[in-house]
Each structure stands twice: as structure tokens, then as C-alpha cells.
Amino acid sequence: MEEERKMPGKRVNTGELGMSTRMKIAVACYVAGALIGLVMFGRYWMASEFMPYHAVASGTTWEAVPAGLQLVILALLKAASAGFLTGGVVALLLIRPVVNGENWARWTALTSSAALLIPLLYVTLSLRLATGAPSPVGAAAGALALAIVAFFAARVQTAGTIAESGYGASAPLRRG
């Protein structure tokens, strides 16, 4: 059963879980984006050689790469995995404050996602265009799209006007 509460200047939440349909969509987007990040973390952290698309892009096999360079590549894959882990964990940690209507959390989720995913999308797309390698452009683009949808879906509706909230131009001055 859906319930609607309208109080001047207060957030309006509806739905069985105290969330509007839009907020449920936002939470689903945050969870899906986090899962993409965590899956990518696992894939890159557990890698024992470069990704198949790296072989296509480089035109070589893992066995043909010198041992010292293999160590460097594996270290870089693990460093990249740390970014995926961080992105996934941050997305999950910000769900509660976003649901609670904390606007800073929406902006933090969007900017942290953009800071990770826009450069990632640029690199994966550049690699694909330059070499034809099937780099994970879709995962980066999908995760970025989820972050953007979540940002707009999580906007908190407020009931009433600023004047009705007691903070408008007609509100009495309060001195400390």
C-alpha cells in the first residue's frame, strides 16, 4: 500500500519501503553499477596474465612478453582493480544517504563515478578504435549511464514552497 506524506519543506517519500518508484530505480542503478565495479575488480585482481583484448591490441601472446614486463602488467592490472573496488564500495556506501535525501551523496556518487568512468571509457574506446580489440567499452559506458540515471532518479521531491517552510523572504529574522 502506497502512502504519501506532504509537509511543508519536508521530503516526500512514497511506497512500501518508504521510497518513491524513482528512488527504487536509483537504488537499483547504484547496486547494478556497484556490481559491475566489483565484478571488474575480481576479474582484474585475479588475472594471471593480461586480458584477451590486450593480446589483440598488442598483437602478441602473454608468453611472448618478457618476464619483467609481465610483472609490470600484472601490477597495473591490480592497480586498476583497486579503482574498480573503490568505485563499487563507494556506490554501495552512498545508497543510504541518497535514500535519506542527502543531496551531497547524490553529487558524490555522480562525481566519483564520473572521475573513474570517463577516463576509463576514453581509454577503452581509444584502444578499441586504434586496434580493433574488444575492450570493455560497454561495461564502462553502462556503468556511467547507470550513475547518471541514478543521479536524476534520486532527486528528492519536496512538498510546499520555500515560503511555507519558514525559510523564505517572509520568514522572521532570527538572531543567534
Side-chain angles (χ1 to χ4, degrees):
M1 169 184 259
E2 295 219 356
E3 173 187 326
E4 187 172 323
R5 297 179 300 263
K6 289 190 177 183
M7 299 170 59
K10 300 293 180 184
R11 295 178 185 91
V12 175
N13 287 320
T14 60
E16 295 172 9
L17 298 175
M19 289 191 285
S20 67
T21 300
R22 282 187 2 205
M23 190 61 76
K24 290 176 185 175
I25 290 168
V27 169
C29 288
Y30 286 128
V31 169
L35 289 176
I36 290 171
L38 295 174
V39 166
M40 295 295 285
F41 160 72
R43 175 78 172 101
Y44 280 66
W45 184 261
M46 300 303 293
S48 58
E49 61 184 64
F50 56 35
M51 300 294 136
Y53 72 90
H54 293 142
V56 173
S58 65
T60 190
T61 64
W62 179 249
E63 294 75 24
V65 176
L69 188 53
Q70 285 182 357
L71 289 174
V72 171
I73 292 169
L74 290 175
L76 290 171
L77 290 174
K78 295 211 182 326
S81 75
F84 297 133
L85 175 64
T86 301
V89 169
V90 166
L92 292 174
L93 289 176
L94 290 172
I95 290 173
R96 182 173 300 276
V98 167
V99 168
N100 289 339
E102 301 293 337
N103 203 36
W104 65 266
R106 282 180 55 234
W107 283 100
T108 301
L110 180 64
T111 56
S112 63
S113 294
L116 173 66
L117 296 168
I118 290 173
L120 183 62
L121 183 57
Y122 173 79
V123 169
T124 56
L125 186 57
S126 296
L127 187 64
R128 180 174 287 193
L129 293 174
T131 66
S135 58
V137 174
L144 183 58
L146 287 168
I148 292 168
V149 168
F151 176 79
F152 287 106
R155 286 181 307 181
V156 175
Q157 298 170 320
T158 57
T161 64
I162 291 175
E164 291 172 342
S165 70
Y167 296 104
S170 61
L173 292 176
R174 295 185 180 109
R175 299 199 179 207

